[in-house]
Amino acid sequence: MALYLIGDVQGCDGALQKLLEKISFSPSRDTLYVLGDLVNRGPSSAAVLRRLKNYGAAARCLLGNHDLNLLAIAYGVRTPHRKDTLNCILEAPDRAGLLDWLRWQRMAISETIDSHTVLMVHAGVLPSWTASKTMSLAAEVETVLRSPDLGDFLREMFDDQPNSWIDTLQGTSRLRVIVNALTRLRFCDTQGRMEFKFKESADSAPPGYMPWFDVPGRETASVTMAFGHWSTLDWLGRSDVLALDTGCVWGGSLSAMRLAGQGVGAPLVQELIQVKCEMAQKPGESINLVAVRP
């Protein structure tokens, strides 16, 4: 049995198939954790959803900003962007089944391997959120996604404000901050105020801001954080922060991280496996490494 974390697929089903072949994935034996942005910009978004849906409990998926964008378009509350490649889903005969499956995916996932907690989100968490609080807040959004109120929620979801968390937030404002942190966050300041305009590498932070995972005193510093979303970040080479969006749809690689325990109290073993995306029109290649958490 193996546990694999996979970065942003974004409709690149060919690359996903190559990656699954490289890791010899078996749905009867292994579990995939796909870190959001399953769809959009790539050529085969419907095929990606069908593949993951057919894996049943062997594929556990997060929702990213592109996945929520798909739901908003499908519910008629958002206009497609000219670069969106979602018609293969919106016009599919199994559209209803694919969208319903998507609604039941997660906003955050926490797994324990031996004594190690691995917290998975699409983008990031705010500095004041513990791992347990992150899971609780994610569940609030998941409840709405699965409810008859989904259309109303999607209509109000897309806004940058409020840009920070207060425990007393209620209603749409509360849900919007949760969604923005979990699916859009890259930079914030030491007070947890989010900045959404800058999308470049970690060293390009605007004055007063820093990557969310570098904020001093971050409450999730004691757990292993795994996320996607930030393609310009590339591979960090850190054992406590697993950044797995390596730009597949932009001509980069699709990445999987195999995590394995070595017994309670022993460090996690991490193995990074990559294939070049077909969007790059280059033959597949892989990188393997072992990294341990101190």
Side-chain angles (χ1 to χ4, degrees), residues 123 223 241:
V223 305
V241 178

Side-chain angles (χ1 to χ4, degrees), residues 232-291:
T232 53
L233 194 61
D234 207 5
W235 174 245
L236 292 177
R238 288 170 53 168
S239 59
D240 63 327
V241 178
L242 309 178
L244 290 171
D245 180 4
T246 46
C248 177
V249 77
W250 309 117
S253 300
L254 184 62
S255 296
M257 173 66 72
R258 186 180 71 86
L259 297 180
Q262 301 183 96
V264 176
L268 285 180
V269 172
Q270 303 172 2
E271 180 185 12
L272 179 67
I273 305 107
Q274 297 180 310
V275 297
K276 294 297 290 185
C277 183
E278 72 272 13
M279 303 291 286
Q281 298 182 344
K282 294 180 180 178
E285 63 182 29
S286 66
I287 298 174
N288 293 288
L289 59 88
V290 173

